[in-house]
DNA sequence: CGCGTCCTTGAACCGCGTCAAGCCAGGTGG
DNA sequence: CCACCTGGCTTGACGCGGTTCAAGGACGCG
Protein backbone atom coordinates (compact mmCIF):
# COMPACT_ATOMS: atom_id res chain seq x y z
CA UNK A 1 0.00 0.00 0.00
CA UNK A 2 1.22 3.43 -0.88
CA UNK A 3 1.50 5.77 2.06
CA UNK A 4 2.23 9.45 1.83
CA UNK A 5 2.73 12.25 4.29
CA UNK A 6 -0.62 13.31 5.74
CA UNK A 7 0.23 16.91 6.43
CA UNK A 8 -1.21 17.54 2.99
CA UNK A 9 -4.66 16.70 4.34
CA UNK A 10 -6.45 20.02 4.47
CA UNK A 11 -10.06 18.90 4.78
CA UNK A 12 -11.60 21.25 7.32
CA UNK A 13 -14.39 18.79 8.10
CA UNK A 14 -11.96 16.11 9.20
CA UNK A 15 -12.60 15.22 12.84
CA UNK A 16 -8.93 14.71 13.55
CA UNK A 17 -7.80 17.88 11.83
CA UNK A 18 -10.53 19.94 13.41
CA UNK A 19 -9.38 18.91 16.87
CA UNK A 20 -5.64 18.89 16.53
CA UNK A 21 -3.08 21.58 15.79
CA UNK A 22 -0.93 21.35 12.64
CA UNK A 23 2.15 20.26 14.57
CA UNK A 24 0.13 17.42 16.11
CA UNK A 25 -0.97 16.31 12.69
CA UNK A 26 2.59 16.41 11.48
CA UNK A 27 3.77 14.31 14.40
CA UNK A 28 1.00 11.79 14.69
CA UNK A 29 -0.76 11.16 11.39
CA UNK A 30 1.75 9.27 9.31
CA UNK A 31 -0.24 7.15 6.90
CA UNK A 32 -2.59 8.14 4.15
CA UNK A 33 -3.84 5.24 2.09
CA UNK A 34 -5.79 5.20 -1.19
CA UNK A 35 -8.64 2.70 -1.57
CA UNK A 36 -10.44 1.70 -4.76
CA UNK A 37 -14.24 1.43 -4.97
CA UNK A 38 -15.41 -1.83 -3.44
CA UNK A 39 -12.15 -2.42 -1.60
CA UNK A 40 -12.16 -3.51 2.05
CA UNK A 41 -10.87 -0.93 4.50
CA UNK A 42 -11.71 -2.91 7.63
CA UNK A 43 -12.66 -6.57 7.82
CA UNK A 44 -14.60 -7.73 10.87
CA UNK A 45 -12.73 -10.15 13.06
CA UNK A 46 -9.32 -8.77 12.11
CA UNK A 47 -7.09 -7.39 14.90
CA UNK A 48 -7.42 -3.75 15.89
CA UNK A 49 -4.26 -1.93 14.83
CA UNK A 50 -5.52 1.62 15.21
CA UNK A 51 -8.13 4.05 14.02
CA UNK A 52 -8.96 5.31 10.53
CA UNK A 53 -10.49 8.51 9.31
CA UNK A 54 -11.65 9.47 5.84
CA UNK A 55 -9.76 12.30 4.18
CA UNK A 56 -11.98 12.04 1.15
CA UNK A 57 -14.35 9.36 -0.06
CA UNK A 58 -17.51 7.46 0.74
CA UNK A 59 -17.71 4.36 2.90
CA UNK A 60 -20.31 1.89 4.15
CA UNK A 61 -19.93 0.16 7.52
CA UNK A 62 -21.67 -3.17 8.13
CA UNK A 63 -21.94 -6.42 10.06
CA UNK A 64 -21.95 -9.72 8.23
CA UNK A 65 -24.89 -11.69 9.60
CA UNK A 66 -26.39 -15.08 8.89
CA UNK A 67 -25.46 -16.71 5.56
CA UNK A 68 -23.50 -13.66 4.48
CA UNK A 69 -26.35 -11.14 4.69
CA UNK A 70 -24.98 -7.71 5.44
CA UNK A 71 -26.47 -5.23 7.88
CA UNK A 72 -25.29 -1.72 7.10
CA UNK A 73 -25.06 0.22 10.36
CA UNK A 74 -23.87 3.53 9.01
CA UNK A 75 -22.49 5.47 6.08
CA UNK A 76 -19.44 7.71 6.35
CA UNK A 77 -17.73 10.31 4.22
CA UNK A 78 -15.16 13.09 4.38
CA UNK A 79 -13.74 13.61 7.85
CA UNK A 80 -15.62 10.75 9.51
CA UNK A 81 -13.97 8.18 11.74
CA UNK A 82 -13.74 4.45 11.00
CA UNK A 83 -12.74 1.65 13.31
CA UNK A 84 -13.52 3.57 16.50
CA UNK A 85 -15.63 0.58 17.53
CA UNK A 86 -12.38 -1.31 17.84
CA UNK A 87 -11.02 0.89 20.64
CA UNK A 88 -10.92 -1.13 23.82
CA UNK A 89 -11.40 -4.34 21.87
CA UNK A 90 -9.06 -6.82 20.26
CA UNK A 91 -10.84 -7.32 16.94
CA UNK A 92 -13.07 -5.11 14.81
CA UNK A 93 -16.75 -5.99 15.15
CA UNK A 94 -17.64 -4.49 11.76
CA UNK A 95 -16.40 -4.25 8.18
CA UNK A 96 -15.90 -1.09 6.14
CA UNK A 97 -15.88 -0.94 2.34
CA UNK A 98 -15.18 2.01 0.05
CA UNK A 99 -18.30 2.93 -1.96
CA UNK A 100 -16.12 5.12 -4.16
CA UNK A 101 -12.40 5.70 -4.52
CA UNK A 102 -11.34 7.04 -1.12
CA UNK A 103 -8.32 8.29 0.72
CA UNK A 104 -8.08 7.03 4.28
CA UNK A 105 -5.74 8.19 7.03
CA UNK A 106 -4.54 5.85 9.76
CA UNK A 107 -3.35 6.31 13.34
CA UNK A 108 -1.89 3.31 15.17
CA UNK A 109 -2.98 2.28 18.67
CA UNK A 110 0.13 3.51 20.42
CA UNK A 111 -0.02 6.95 18.85
CA UNK A 112 -3.72 7.20 19.57
CA UNK A 113 -3.20 6.41 23.25
CA UNK A 114 -0.50 9.03 23.41
CA UNK A 115 -2.92 11.52 21.89
CA UNK A 116 -5.57 10.68 24.47
CA UNK A 117 -3.14 10.98 27.37
CA UNK A 118 -1.61 14.27 26.33
CA UNK A 119 -4.66 16.02 24.92
CA UNK A 120 -7.69 15.88 27.24
CA UNK A 121 -9.70 18.16 24.96
CA UNK A 122 -9.28 15.62 22.17
CA UNK A 123 -10.47 12.84 24.48
CA UNK A 124 -13.46 14.91 25.46
CA UNK A 125 -14.40 15.63 21.85
CA UNK A 126 -13.99 11.97 21.08
CA UNK A 127 -16.32 11.11 23.96
CA UNK A 128 -18.93 13.51 22.62
CA UNK A 129 -18.56 11.95 19.19
CA UNK A 130 -19.31 8.53 20.66
CA UNK A 131 -22.27 9.97 22.54
CA UNK A 132 -23.78 11.29 19.31
CA UNK A 133 -23.14 8.04 17.50
CA UNK A 134 -24.80 6.09 20.30
CA UNK A 135 -27.87 8.28 20.18
CA UNK A 136 -28.16 7.94 16.42
CA UNK A 137 -27.71 4.19 16.61
CA UNK A 138 -30.39 3.75 19.27
CA UNK A 139 -32.77 5.75 17.17
CA UNK A 140 -32.04 3.62 14.13
CA UNK A 141 -32.64 0.51 16.21
CA UNK A 142 -36.07 1.77 17.17
CA UNK A 143 -36.81 2.57 13.53
CA UNK A 144 -35.82 -0.86 12.26
CA UNK A 145 -37.85 -2.51 15.01
CA UNK A 146 -41.06 -0.52 14.55
CA UNK A 147 -41.22 0.74 10.95
CA UNK A 148 -42.80 -1.15 8.06
CA UNK A 149 -40.91 -1.64 4.80
CA UNK A 150 -42.27 1.49 3.15
CA UNK A 151 -41.11 3.62 6.06
CA UNK A 152 -37.75 1.90 6.34
CA UNK A 153 -36.96 2.49 2.67
CA UNK A 154 -37.95 6.15 2.96
CA UNK A 155 -35.81 6.41 6.10
CA UNK A 156 -32.83 4.91 4.28
CA UNK A 157 -33.14 7.37 1.40
CA UNK A 158 -33.15 10.24 3.88
CA UNK A 159 -30.15 8.73 5.65
CA UNK A 160 -28.26 8.61 2.36
CA UNK A 161 -29.13 12.23 1.60
CA UNK A 162 -28.13 13.28 5.10
CA UNK A 163 -24.76 11.58 4.76
CA UNK A 164 -23.85 12.23 1.16
CA UNK A 165 -26.01 15.12 0.07
CA UNK A 166 -27.44 15.72 -3.39
CA UNK A 167 -25.82 17.02 -6.57
CA UNK A 168 -27.17 19.82 -8.72
CA UNK A 169 -29.79 17.50 -10.25
CA UNK A 170 -31.10 16.48 -6.79
CA UNK A 171 -29.53 13.07 -7.24
CA UNK A 172 -28.18 11.35 -4.14
CA UNK A 173 -24.48 11.94 -4.50
CA UNK A 174 -23.07 8.44 -4.06
CA UNK A 175 -23.12 5.25 -6.09
CA UNK A 176 -25.13 2.49 -4.46
CA UNK A 177 -27.38 -0.33 -5.57
CA UNK A 178 -30.70 -1.79 -4.43
CA UNK A 179 -28.94 -4.26 -2.20
CA UNK A 180 -27.29 -1.48 -0.20
CA UNK A 181 -30.69 0.04 0.51
CA UNK A 182 -32.09 -3.38 1.42
CA UNK A 183 -29.19 -4.10 3.77
CA UNK A 184 -29.62 -0.75 5.46
CA UNK A 185 -33.38 -0.91 5.78
CA UNK A 186 -33.35 -4.53 6.89
CA UNK A 187 -35.35 -6.00 4.00
CA UNK A 188 -34.63 -7.45 0.54
CA UNK A 189 -33.95 -6.21 -2.98
CA UNK A 190 -37.44 -6.96 -4.33
CA UNK A 191 -39.21 -4.93 -1.66
CA UNK A 192 -36.86 -2.02 -2.27
CA UNK A 193 -37.65 -2.11 -5.97
CA UNK A 194 -41.37 -2.15 -5.28
CA UNK A 195 -41.20 0.73 -2.82
CA UNK A 196 -39.00 2.84 -5.10
CA UNK A 197 -41.48 2.14 -7.87
CA UNK A 198 -44.33 3.32 -5.62
CA UNK A 199 -42.40 6.43 -4.60
CA UNK A 200 -41.88 7.21 -8.29
CA UNK A 201 -45.56 6.99 -9.16
CA UNK A 202 -46.30 9.15 -6.11
CA UNK A 203 -43.89 11.76 -7.41
CA UNK A 204 -41.58 11.56 -4.41
CA UNK A 205 -38.53 10.44 -6.35
CA UNK A 206 -37.39 10.30 -9.98
CA UNK A 207 -35.38 7.34 -11.21
CA UNK A 208 -32.95 8.22 -13.94
CA UNK A 209 -30.76 5.28 -14.84
CA UNK A 210 -28.95 4.04 -11.76
CA UNK A 211 -29.25 7.33 -9.94
CA UNK A 212 -32.14 8.30 -7.73
CA UNK A 213 -33.24 11.93 -7.62
CA UNK A 214 -35.33 13.24 -4.76
CA UNK A 215 -38.33 15.16 -6.06
CA UNK A 216 -40.20 15.74 -2.81
CA UNK A 217 -38.04 15.71 0.30
CA UNK A 218 -40.88 16.70 2.60
CA UNK A 219 -43.02 13.91 1.19
CA UNK A 220 -40.41 11.39 2.24
CA UNK A 221 -40.07 12.99 5.66
CA UNK A 222 -43.82 12.82 6.08
CA UNK A 223 -43.76 9.04 5.63
CA UNK A 224 -41.54 8.57 8.65
CA UNK A 225 -42.75 11.55 10.64
CA UNK A 226 -44.90 9.55 13.02
CA UNK A 227 -41.75 7.72 14.16
CA UNK A 228 -39.41 10.70 14.18
CA UNK A 229 -41.19 13.90 15.23
CA UNK A 230 -38.10 15.91 14.37
CA UNK A 231 -35.39 14.91 11.94
CA UNK A 232 -32.17 14.19 13.75
CA UNK A 233 -29.35 16.18 12.24
CA UNK A 234 -25.69 15.58 12.68
CA UNK B 1 -37.69 14.08 46.90
CA UNK B 2 -35.42 13.04 49.72
CA UNK B 3 -31.75 13.54 49.06
CA UNK B 4 -28.96 12.35 51.30
CA UNK B 5 -25.21 12.56 51.29
CA UNK B 6 -23.79 10.15 48.72
CA UNK B 7 -20.52 9.40 50.47
CA UNK B 8 -22.38 6.46 51.93
CA UNK B 9 -22.43 4.86 48.48
CA UNK B 10 -19.95 2.02 48.76
CA UNK B 11 -20.93 -0.04 45.75
CA UNK B 12 -17.65 -1.17 44.23
CA UNK B 13 -19.25 -1.78 40.83
CA UNK B 14 -20.41 1.82 40.54
CA UNK B 15 -18.84 3.43 37.47
CA UNK B 16 -18.48 6.77 39.19
CA UNK B 17 -17.07 5.40 42.42
CA UNK B 18 -14.71 3.09 40.61
CA UNK B 19 -13.20 5.98 38.72
CA UNK B 20 -13.12 8.71 41.33
CA UNK B 21 -11.33 9.08 44.64
CA UNK B 22 -13.33 9.41 47.89
CA UNK B 23 -12.69 13.13 48.16
CA UNK B 24 -14.06 13.59 44.64
CA UNK B 25 -17.19 11.71 45.55
CA UNK B 26 -17.61 13.83 48.64
CA UNK B 27 -17.25 17.03 46.61
CA UNK B 28 -19.23 16.20 43.53
CA UNK B 29 -21.96 13.66 44.16
CA UNK B 30 -24.52 15.49 46.21
CA UNK B 31 -27.85 13.86 45.48
CA UNK B 32 -29.05 10.38 46.12
CA UNK B 33 -32.68 9.81 45.28
CA UNK B 34 -34.97 6.84 46.05
CA UNK B 35 -37.34 5.63 43.32
CA UNK B 36 -40.27 3.26 43.70
CA UNK B 37 -40.92 0.39 41.28
CA UNK B 38 -42.53 1.69 38.09
CA UNK B 39 -41.55 5.29 38.77
CA UNK B 40 -40.06 7.45 36.00
CA UNK B 41 -36.42 8.38 36.48
CA UNK B 42 -36.00 10.07 33.12
CA UNK B 43 -38.76 11.12 30.71
CA UNK B 44 -37.86 11.57 27.06
CA UNK B 45 -38.16 15.10 25.83
CA UNK B 46 -37.43 16.64 29.21
CA UNK B 47 -34.43 18.97 29.52
CA UNK B 48 -31.02 17.50 30.36
CA UNK B 49 -30.04 18.59 33.86
CA UNK B 50 -27.20 16.17 34.42
CA UNK B 51 -26.30 12.53 34.58
CA UNK B 52 -27.63 9.73 36.79
CA UNK B 53 -26.09 6.53 38.01
CA UNK B 54 -27.64 3.63 39.84
CA UNK B 55 -26.39 3.02 43.35
CA UNK B 56 -28.71 0.05 43.71
CA UNK B 57 -31.70 -1.08 41.71
CA UNK B 58 -32.90 -2.25 38.32
CA UNK B 59 -33.92 0.00 35.45
CA UNK B 60 -35.22 -0.26 31.88
CA UNK B 61 -34.37 2.35 29.26
CA UNK B 62 -36.67 2.84 26.27
CA UNK B 63 -37.95 4.99 23.43
CA UNK B 64 -41.64 5.67 23.06
CA UNK B 65 -42.50 4.97 19.43
CA UNK B 66 -45.66 5.09 17.35
CA UNK B 67 -48.95 5.00 19.28
CA UNK B 68 -47.18 4.60 22.59
CA UNK B 69 -45.35 1.37 21.78
CA UNK B 70 -42.11 1.17 23.76
CA UNK B 71 -38.79 0.00 22.40
CA UNK B 72 -36.49 -1.04 25.22
CA UNK B 73 -32.91 -0.27 24.23
CA UNK B 74 -31.13 -1.50 27.33
CA UNK B 75 -31.40 -2.69 30.91
CA UNK B 76 -29.27 -1.27 33.71
CA UNK B 77 -28.51 -2.14 37.31
CA UNK B 78 -26.08 -1.37 40.12
CA UNK B 79 -23.37 1.05 39.13
CA UNK B 80 -24.64 1.68 35.59
CA UNK B 81 -25.06 5.13 34.11
CA UNK B 82 -28.37 6.69 33.04
CA UNK B 83 -28.95 9.78 30.96
CA UNK B 84 -25.51 9.77 29.37
CA UNK B 85 -27.31 9.98 26.03
CA UNK B 86 -28.29 13.47 27.05
CA UNK B 87 -24.73 14.77 27.17
CA UNK B 88 -24.23 17.24 24.36
CA UNK B 89 -27.97 17.46 23.82
CA UNK B 90 -30.72 19.66 25.22
CA UNK B 91 -33.37 17.01 25.88
CA UNK B 92 -33.21 13.33 26.77
CA UNK B 93 -33.96 11.08 23.80
CA UNK B 94 -35.06 8.17 26.02
CA UNK B 95 -37.05 7.38 29.15
CA UNK B 96 -35.90 5.37 32.15
CA UNK B 97 -38.19 3.57 34.58
CA UNK B 98 -37.34 1.72 37.78
CA UNK B 99 -38.14 -2.00 37.44
CA UNK B 100 -37.70 -2.37 41.20
CA UNK B 101 -37.21 0.05 44.08
CA UNK B 102 -33.94 1.80 43.26
CA UNK B 103 -31.56 4.38 44.64
CA UNK B 104 -30.25 6.75 41.99
CA UNK B 105 -27.42 9.27 42.32
CA UNK B 106 -27.37 12.50 40.33
CA UNK B 107 -24.64 14.82 39.09
CA UNK B 108 -25.63 18.12 37.52
CA UNK B 109 -24.26 19.36 34.19
CA UNK B 110 -21.94 21.96 35.65
CA UNK B 111 -20.34 19.56 38.09
CA UNK B 112 -19.99 16.94 35.40
CA UNK B 113 -18.20 19.35 33.09
CA UNK B 114 -15.86 20.30 35.91
CA UNK B 115 -15.14 16.61 36.43
CA UNK B 116 -14.34 16.14 32.75
CA UNK B 117 -12.07 19.17 32.65
CA UNK B 118 -10.10 18.36 35.77
CA UNK B 119 -9.89 14.57 35.48
CA UNK B 120 -8.75 13.38 32.04
CA UNK B 121 -8.64 9.76 33.20
CA UNK B 122 -12.33 9.99 34.03
CA UNK B 123 -13.08 11.42 30.59
CA UNK B 124 -11.08 8.63 28.99
CA UNK B 125 -12.94 5.94 30.94
CA UNK B 126 -16.20 7.59 30.03
CA UNK B 127 -15.20 7.53 26.37
CA UNK B 128 -14.43 3.82 26.60
CA UNK B 129 -17.80 3.28 28.24
CA UNK B 130 -19.52 4.95 25.30
CA UNK B 131 -17.46 2.88 22.90
CA UNK B 132 -18.63 -0.36 24.51
CA UNK B 133 -22.23 0.83 24.57
CA UNK B 134 -22.06 1.74 20.90
CA UNK B 135 -20.71 -1.66 19.98
CA UNK B 136 -23.41 -3.43 21.96
CA UNK B 137 -26.11 -1.28 20.43
CA UNK B 138 -24.95 -1.89 16.86
CA UNK B 139 -24.96 -5.59 17.55
CA UNK B 140 -28.48 -5.43 18.92
CA UNK B 141 -29.58 -3.51 15.86
CA UNK B 142 -28.27 -6.26 13.62
CA UNK B 143 -30.04 -8.86 15.77
CA UNK B 144 -33.38 -7.10 15.62
CA UNK B 145 -33.06 -6.63 11.87
CA UNK B 146 -32.09 -10.21 11.01
CA UNK B 147 -33.41 -12.55 13.69
CA UNK B 148 -36.82 -14.22 13.60
CA UNK B 149 -39.13 -14.05 16.61
CA UNK B 150 -37.88 -17.28 18.16
CA UNK B 151 -34.30 -16.02 18.07
CA UNK B 152 -35.19 -12.55 19.29
CA UNK B 153 -37.00 -13.90 22.34
CA UNK B 154 -34.07 -16.19 23.17
CA UNK B 155 -31.72 -13.26 22.72
CA UNK B 156 -33.79 -11.13 25.08
CA UNK B 157 -33.75 -13.81 27.78
CA UNK B 158 -29.97 -14.00 27.52
CA UNK B 159 -29.79 -10.21 27.68
CA UNK B 160 -31.82 -10.24 30.90
CA UNK B 161 -29.59 -12.90 32.43
CA UNK B 162 -26.49 -11.02 31.37
CA UNK B 163 -27.76 -7.83 32.99
CA UNK B 164 -29.48 -9.09 36.11
CA UNK B 165 -28.12 -12.57 36.69
CA UNK B 166 -29.97 -15.52 38.18
CA UNK B 167 -30.86 -16.36 41.77
CA UNK B 168 -30.18 -19.67 43.49
CA UNK B 169 -33.14 -21.28 41.69
CA UNK B 170 -31.84 -20.22 38.26
CA UNK B 171 -34.62 -17.65 38.02
CA UNK B 172 -33.86 -14.42 36.21
CA UNK B 173 -33.36 -12.03 39.10
CA UNK B 174 -35.64 -9.17 38.16
CA UNK B 175 -39.38 -8.66 37.95
CA UNK B 176 -40.61 -8.17 34.40
CA UNK B 177 -43.67 -9.09 32.36
CA UNK B 178 -44.29 -10.42 28.85
CA UNK B 179 -44.64 -6.93 27.49
CA UNK B 180 -41.11 -6.05 28.58
CA UNK B 181 -39.76 -9.00 26.63
CA UNK B 182 -41.90 -8.07 23.62
CA UNK B 183 -40.74 -4.45 23.72
CA UNK B 184 -37.12 -5.55 23.91
CA UNK B 185 -37.33 -8.20 21.20
CA UNK B 186 -39.39 -6.00 18.89
CA UNK B 187 -42.51 -8.17 18.76
CA UNK B 188 -45.79 -8.51 20.71
CA UNK B 189 -47.03 -10.20 23.88
CA UNK B 190 -48.75 -13.12 22.13
CA UNK B 191 -45.65 -14.15 20.20
CA UNK B 192 -43.58 -13.99 23.39
CA UNK B 193 -46.05 -16.27 25.15
CA UNK B 194 -45.94 -18.76 22.30
CA UNK B 195 -42.16 -18.83 22.20
CA UNK B 196 -41.82 -19.18 25.98
CA UNK B 197 -44.30 -22.02 25.77
CA UNK B 198 -42.20 -23.68 23.07
CA UNK B 199 -39.03 -23.18 25.09
CA UNK B 200 -40.73 -24.84 28.06
CA UNK B 201 -41.74 -27.94 26.11
CA UNK B 202 -38.20 -28.08 24.73
CA UNK B 203 -36.84 -28.04 28.27
CA UNK B 204 -34.91 -24.81 27.82
CA UNK B 205 -36.77 -22.87 30.49
CA UNK B 206 -39.09 -23.60 33.42
CA UNK B 207 -42.01 -21.30 34.12
CA UNK B 208 -42.87 -21.12 37.80
CA UNK B 209 -45.53 -18.54 38.45
CA UNK B 210 -44.40 -15.16 37.16
CA UNK B 211 -40.74 -16.04 37.30
CA UNK B 212 -38.81 -17.68 34.49
CA UNK B 213 -36.03 -20.11 35.35
CA UNK B 214 -33.36 -20.98 32.82
CA UNK B 215 -32.94 -24.75 32.55
CA UNK B 216 -30.58 -24.94 29.60
CA UNK B 217 -28.45 -21.86 29.04
CA UNK B 218 -26.44 -23.44 26.24
CA UNK B 219 -29.64 -24.44 24.48
CA UNK B 220 -30.72 -20.78 24.36
CA UNK B 221 -27.28 -19.72 23.20
CA UNK B 222 -27.43 -22.31 20.45
CA UNK B 223 -30.61 -20.74 19.07
CA UNK B 224 -28.89 -17.44 18.42
CA UNK B 225 -25.40 -18.80 17.78
CA UNK B 226 -25.60 -18.41 14.01
CA UNK B 227 -26.05 -14.67 14.53
CA UNK B 228 -23.58 -14.24 17.38
CA UNK B 229 -20.60 -16.57 17.05
CA UNK B 230 -19.39 -15.56 20.49
CA UNK B 231 -21.49 -14.14 23.28
CA UNK B 232 -20.63 -10.53 23.91
CA UNK B 233 -19.85 -9.99 27.55
CA UNK B 234 -19.76 -6.76 29.36
C1' DC C 1 -23.28 -9.52 -30.63
C1' DG C 2 -23.15 -12.18 -26.48
C1' DC C 3 -22.57 -12.19 -21.82
C1' DG C 4 -22.99 -10.79 -17.01
C1' DT C 5 -24.97 -7.88 -13.62
C1' DC C 6 -28.46 -5.49 -11.77
C1' DC C 7 -33.25 -4.31 -11.81
C1' DT C 8 -38.17 -5.37 -12.28
C1' DT C 9 -42.44 -7.85 -11.97
C1' DG C 10 -45.53 -11.60 -10.90
C1' DA C 11 -47.11 -15.33 -8.10
C1' DA C 12 -47.15 -18.32 -4.19
C1' DC C 13 -46.23 -19.16 0.41
C1' DC C 14 -45.83 -18.38 5.29
C1' DG C 15 -44.34 -16.00 9.44
C1' DC C 16 -46.10 -13.04 12.37
C1' DG C 17 -49.20 -9.39 13.91
C1' DT C 18 -53.99 -8.74 15.16
C1' DC C 19 -58.32 -9.79 17.09
C1' DA C 20 -61.09 -12.25 20.21
C1' DA C 21 -62.17 -15.28 23.80
C1' DG C 22 -61.00 -17.81 27.79
C1' DC C 23 -57.94 -18.80 31.75
C1' DC C 24 -55.59 -18.09 36.03
C1' DA C 25 -54.02 -15.79 40.24
C1' DG C 26 -54.11 -12.21 43.39
C1' DG C 27 -56.62 -8.64 45.61
C1' DT C 28 -60.80 -6.66 47.54
C1' DG C 29 -64.93 -6.28 49.82
C1' DG C 30 -69.22 -8.00 51.52
C1' DC D 1 -64.54 -17.36 53.87
C1' DC D 2 -66.29 -16.98 49.54
C1' DA D 3 -67.75 -14.27 45.38
C1' DC D 4 -66.32 -11.12 42.39
C1' DC D 5 -63.23 -8.32 39.77
C1' DT D 6 -59.20 -7.08 37.45
C1' DG D 7 -54.84 -7.45 35.06
C1' DG D 8 -51.73 -10.31 33.07
C1' DC D 9 -51.18 -14.65 30.57
C1' DT D 10 -52.57 -18.15 27.14
C1' DT D 11 -54.53 -20.09 23.05
C1' DG D 12 -56.82 -20.27 18.62
C1' DA D 13 -58.24 -18.36 14.14
C1' DC D 14 -57.53 -15.38 10.54
C1' DG D 15 -55.51 -12.27 7.22
C1' DC D 16 -52.02 -9.15 5.78
C1' DG D 17 -47.34 -7.81 4.79
C1' DG D 18 -43.33 -9.28 3.40
C1' DT D 19 -40.10 -12.89 2.00
C1' DT D 20 -38.99 -16.16 -1.39
C1' DC D 21 -38.84 -18.20 -5.85
C1' DA D 22 -38.82 -17.75 -10.69
C1' DA D 23 -38.66 -15.51 -15.08
C1' DG D 24 -37.88 -11.79 -17.97
C1' DG D 25 -35.99 -7.11 -19.11
C1' DA D 26 -32.58 -3.28 -19.28
C1' DC D 27 -28.10 -1.89 -19.47
C1' DG D 28 -23.11 -1.76 -19.76
C1' DC D 29 -18.98 -3.91 -21.33
C1' DG D 30 -15.74 -6.69 -23.74
Amino acid sequence: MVTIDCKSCTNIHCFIHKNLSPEWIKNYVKFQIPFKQGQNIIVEGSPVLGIYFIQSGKVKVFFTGINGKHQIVRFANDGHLLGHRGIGNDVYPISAVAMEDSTICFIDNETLNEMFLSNPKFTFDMMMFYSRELRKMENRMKNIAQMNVREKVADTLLLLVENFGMNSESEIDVSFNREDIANTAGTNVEQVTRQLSDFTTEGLIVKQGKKIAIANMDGLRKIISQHNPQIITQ
Side-chain angles (χ1 to χ4, degrees), chain A:
Chain A
M1 277 189 289
V2 183
T3 63
I4 57 174
D5 191 341
C6 190
K7 66 172 175 269
S8 64
C9 175
T10 54
N11 184 337
I12 58 163
H13 300 299
C14 175
F15 179 83
I16 298 288
H17 290 73
K18 209 164 51 183
N19 291 288
L20 293 177
S21 62
E23 55 266 34
W24 271 73
I25 303 293
K26 193 166 182 299
N27 286 338
Y28 289 120
V29 185
K30 303 194 181 70
F31 303 109
Q32 197 180 12
I33 312 162
F35 284 91
K36 288 283 174 199
Q37 180 172 20
Q39 202 177 350
N40 286 315
I41 300 169
I42 299 174
V43 177
E44 59 196 292
S46 63
V48 173
L49 303 175
I51 200 169
Y52 301 82
F53 58 95
I54 306 172
Q55 182 178 339
S56 69
K58 284 150 190 180
V59 174
K60 59 182 174 184
V61 179
F62 58 90
F63 283 97
T64 303
I66 174 133
N67 59 22
K69 187 169 166 55
H70 292 174
Q71 177 63 45
I72 296 179
V73 294
R74 92 182 241 255
F75 297 102
N77 63 352
D78 298 5
H80 288 178
L81 286 175
L82 297 174
H84 52 282
R85 290 154 192 77
I87 295 179
N89 215 3
D90 51 349
V91 298
Y92 290 110
I94 48 84
S95 299
V97 164
M99 298 174 78
E100 295 182 358
D101 293 355
S102 303
T103 303
I104 312 292
C105 296
F106 175 76
I107 301 176
D108 63 87
N109 281 329
E110 207 171 327
T111 305
L112 189 64
N113 274 331
E114 195 180 331
M115 289 163 74
F116 284 138
L117 288 177
S118 56
N119 192 341
K121 174 71 165 55
F122 176 73
T123 310
F124 180 82
D125 290 335
M126 193 74 184
M127 184 193 71
M128 297 303 260
F129 168 77
Y130 276 116
S131 176
R132 284 194 302 275
E133 285 295 310
L134 180 62
R135 209 161 50 236
K136 285 197 284 187
M137 196 53 57
E138 288 176 334
N139 202 62
R140 262 172 63 58
M141 197 194 75
K142 184 199 66 175
N143 288 352
I144 283 190
Q146 301 197 347
M147 286 179 172
N148 60 27
V149 169
R150 176 181 168 84
E151 293 163 338
K152 287 192 282 192
V153 172
D155 193 48
T156 302
L157 289 178
L158 290 174
L159 186 71
L160 284 167
V161 171
E162 186 190 319
N163 272 275
F164 300 117
M166 299 187 288
N167 64 18
S168 55
E169 279 110 36
S170 297
E171 294 169 348
I172 297 176
D173 205 10
V174 62
S175 81
F176 60 94
N177 58 23
R178 302 290 183 261
E179 199 175 2
D180 287 329
I181 300 183
N183 290 342
T184 307
T187 180
N188 55 42
V189 176
E190 293 90 336
Q191 290 297 332
V192 171
T193 295
R194 282 183 245 273
Q195 291 305 326
L196 292 181
S197 181
D198 287 352
F199 289 162
T200 305
T201 59
E202 293 172 37
L204 297 174
I205 64 172
V206 179
K207 285 187 287 188
Q208 22 207 357
K210 298 226 160 192
K211 288 280 186 177
I212 292 176
I214 309 293
N216 183 353
M217 196 81 174
D218 286 334
L220 285 178
R221 286 211 191 90
K222 195 156 178 289
I223 292 175
I224 62 163
S225 60
Q226 55 184 341
H227 293 278
N228 287 310
Q230 68 279 1
I231 303 299
I232 293 189
T233 55
Q234 181 137 353

